[in-house]
Amino acid sequence: YSDKVNFLSTNLPRLDDTPNNYDAIILTNKSLGLYYQLITQDFPQAANHDFKALEYSRKAKDTRSEIDMLCNLSSLYFQKNDTTGISYTSEAYAKAKQDKYMPGLYRASVNISNYLFNQRRFKEALTYLKEGELIASDLNYVIEMQYLYSFLGDIYAALNNPIEAENNYKKSIIDLPQTSS
């Protein structure tokens, strides 16, 4: 990865700040942000690239990229255990709902649910997660279902509903051919 990251990092400053380059600037910063978040866990560097991609998404008036970047920032802040990230996912949720951008709405719903779960607001978390589950089903996000069922199990367990918790935990461990063990 490092050779590709070095290539992107070296060439990113060479892109002129013109509308013709906005898509390349967004994509490059988005990629670098994910690399620094998920691979090296250099959160300040990840945030720097995510905010730059968000800035250019807004300059380009690319609502879907803006939603994606708000979700990325939300995930980054969640990974850092920083609750201010809920503001990014709330904004993404509202924009995705208005734009009817279902992949973004899915991510924002699940991200909000994560934050609410950690705040021990289990009923609200359940509402958002159930919305995410419906969207995942509609979008045929089969790979996501094991995670969603496990998370639903956690919420039902926290709500002292062992029957629903067990049902969802059982669904989460079914070996689906589209997912890995």
Side-chain angles (χ1 to χ4, degrees):
Y1 291 119
S2 62
D3 57 331
K4 291 176 180 84
V5 170
N6 287 335
F7 175 81
L8 290 174
S9 296
T10 302
N11 289 298
L12 182 59
R14 294 182 183 159
L15 292 173
D16 295 333
D17 187 1
T18 61
N20 290 342
N21 289 332
Y22 287 176
D23 287 343
I25 292 170
I26 293 165
L27 182 60
T28 303
N29 277 292
K30 180 180 181 180
S31 300
L32 289 169
L34 289 170
Y35 172 81
Y36 286 113
Q37 177 186 349
L38 302 173
I39 306 299
T40 67
Q41 295 192 342
D42 181 343
F43 298 139
Q45 190 74 298
N48 180 45
H49 288 289
D50 286 351
F51 280 117
K52 184 64 80 175
L54 178 62
E55 172 190 345
Y56 278 88
S57 296
R58 288 176 172 160
K59 278 185 176 185
K61 296 181 177 23
D62 183 346
T63 304
R64 292 185 175 191
S65 286
E66 181 181 359
I67 293 164
D68 290 340
M69 293 318 306
L70 288 165
C71 286
N72 285 9
L73 282 163
S74 168
S75 295
L76 173 66
Y77 276 74
F78 186 79
Q79 192 173 354
K80 293 179 1 171
N81 292 318
D82 184 337
T83 59
T84 59
I86 197 168
S87 64
Y88 299 116
T89 198
S90 296
E91 185 178 351
Y93 180 86
K95 287 179 180 292
K97 199 144 188 111
Q98 180 179 357
D99 193 57
K100 295 179 178 43
Y101 177 43
M102 302 316 281
L105 188 58
Y106 165 75
R107 288 183 66 202
S109 296
V110 174
N111 285 353
I112 288 174
S113 189
N114 276 308
Y115 279 100
L116 293 171
F117 182 84
N118 283 355
Q119 294 172 6
R120 306 187 59 75
R121 295 165 54 189
F122 304 122
K123 287 182 181 180
E124 292 170 84
L126 180 62
T127 300
Y128 283 99
L129 194 59
K130 294 295 280 178
E131 180 178 16
E133 178 190 23
L134 286 172
I135 295 167
S137 178
D138 288 346
L139 294 175
N140 201 27
Y141 283 180
V142 178
I143 293 172
E144 294 289 309
M145 297 313 289
Q146 287 177 312
Y147 163 74
L148 292 170
Y149 291 137
S150 177
F151 192 8
L152 283 165
D154 292 344
I155 292 175
Y156 282 118
L159 289 170
N160 200 25
N161 186 337
I163 294 170
E164 280 301 315
E166 181 179 356
N167 289 338
N168 280 283
Y169 286 139
K170 284 180 179 177
K171 286 193 263 185
S172 77
I173 59 172
I174 293 173
D175 188 23
L176 300 173
Q178 299 88 341
T179 62
S180 67
S181 305

